[in-house]
Amino acid sequence: MNYRTALIIILPFFTTLSCKDKDGKDLRDFNNYPFNTNVDGEGSFNIGYVFSIDKKNYIEKEYDFIYYPEDFSERKILVPGSLGNTEFPIYWREVNLPFKIIKKANSDTLLIIKNNKEFIFKRVKNNN
């Protein structure tokens, strides 16, 4: 067996191993896990199917968490540069990083602490 044949056999095997997260089997359902941690970084989790907290990958399979801001100043704390008004909810993944997240497994609420203020997000069923 020459090196080309061996490479042709081995390369697809390693490619298959590197794609194990793409089918969603190895991804954790965000709703099923508790959190009490600081989430650092810039931007938000809003982009993408998969997001990472404490170096573990999660997805929102069945539920999401939303918050209706009381006024425009609350919206500006959570999502700086937002042009929306208080009639529209904020999804927790839209909140600009960094913040602290506190949630019990399978809980109906999620607490985000940002700028020393607490915001309680309520669980809703995804529309997917």
Side-chain angles (χ1 to χ4, degrees), residues 61-78:
K61 291 184 179 179
E62 193 173 349
Y63 298 102
D64 204 343
F65 291 86
I66 62 170
Y67 176 76
Y68 285 93
E70 293 179 12
D71 55 32
F72 195 67
S73 64
E74 280 189 353
R75 179 174 286 280
K76 289 296 224 179
I77 290 171
L78 295 170

Side-chain angles (χ1 to χ4, degrees), residues 32-113:
N32 296 338
Y33 291 89
F35 297 93
N36 188 351
T37 189
N38 290 318
V39 182
D40 298 320
E42 295 179 3
S44 69
F45 286 130
N46 201 31
I47 299 172
Y49 177 67
V50 178
F51 55 94
S52 180
I53 298 176
D54 292 336
K55 298 181 182 177
K56 294 180 183 161
N57 292 329
Y58 298 92
I59 59 172
E60 292 176 318
K61 291 184 179 179
E62 193 173 349
Y63 298 102
D64 204 343
F65 291 86
I66 62 170
Y67 176 76
Y68 285 93
E70 293 179 12
D71 55 32
F72 195 67
S73 64
E74 280 189 353
R75 179 174 286 280
K76 289 296 224 179
I77 290 171
L78 295 170
V79 186
S82 173
L83 299 176
N85 60 29
T86 58
E87 294 177 22
F88 298 106
I90 296 173
Y91 288 85
W92 81 272
R93 289 183 62 192
E94 292 177 320
V95 175
N96 276 26
L97 301 171
F99 56 79
K100 181 172 183 154
I101 184 171
I102 301 171
K103 182 179 93 56
K104 294 180 182 176
N106 299 309
S107 175
D108 287 338
T109 60
L110 171 146
L111 180 68
I112 287 184
I113 302 172

